[in-house]
Amino acid sequence: MKNNYKPQVPDVMEAIFDVVYLVFDLIAAILFFVFSKGNMLFVLYGILTLTLCGGDAFHLVPRIIRAAYGSNDKIKRQLGIGLQVSSITMTIFYIILMYVWKFTFPEFKIPMIIEVIIWISAIVRIVICIFPQNNWCTDEGNMRLSIIRNAVFAITGIGVIILYLISGNTYGYHMTRMVAAIIISFGCYLPVTLFSKTKPKVGLLMIPKTCAYMWIIAMGLQLLF
């Protein structure tokens, strides 16, 4: 680490935010499992939350360490691998969210075409994320693969959005808010993945993106309690 490194205020604030986010996810996951009483919907919410927390931790923990102690080659590599892992787990997150919808609204039958689209696009994205050509651990990355994998990811997201539009405000759950949360998360996430390496300030969009995911988890907690 750099001996003369002094943490900058914005970096410290981001690190605090990241810690709060990970702790929130962990506590929420525990609550889902403890109070689920065998209800598969809330067990799924617990798995959803752990997937989110675990995947993001691979990327956020190195960022927290970097904010506190500065950067080096080891941290850069950990950040790159963390991005790859979180990209995969985020895709799995949306598959689980599809099943959350199924258990929240059992009287609705998921359109076969939507389920197929979600599964195929998710699998394609995960496969693309595994390619070493993504250059996860380099500063330049791979813009072409980034565009492809995120275009496919957007298809997954749109598929899940359609499901929550279909169910609307059934049972008075107001789960149409899920549509807003997913749109916000994608609206903030895509510019970051495409432009953050050349325009670092775009990375600030990760804060509202993270808040959108916390909102998704909060909706589940609201149903639980």
Side-chain angles (χ1 to χ4, degrees), residues 1 17 22 36 57 64 74 89 122:
M1 298 293 178
F17 176 81
L22 291 175
S36 67
I64 294 166
K74 182 180 177 182
T89 55

Side-chain angles (χ1 to χ4, degrees), residues 29-72:
I30 292 170
L31 290 174
F32 282 126
F33 287 126
V34 169
F35 293 101
S36 67
K37 297 178 181 177
N39 186 324
M40 192 58 195
L41 171 62
F42 298 116
V43 171
L44 272 176
Y45 261 117
I47 296 170
L48 182 83
T49 308
L50 275 186
T51 301
L52 184 67
C53 180
D56 282 353
F58 274 91
H59 177 56
L60 294 181
V61 171
R63 288 182 73 89
I64 294 166
I65 295 171
R66 184 181 68 179
Y69 301 106
S71 186
N72 59 27

Side-chain angles (χ1 to χ4, degrees), residues 172-186:
Y173 286 169
H174 300 288
M175 293 303 274
T176 46
R177 293 173 299 173
M178 195 72 79
V179 175
I182 295 171
I183 290 173
I184 291 169
S185 67
F186 270 93

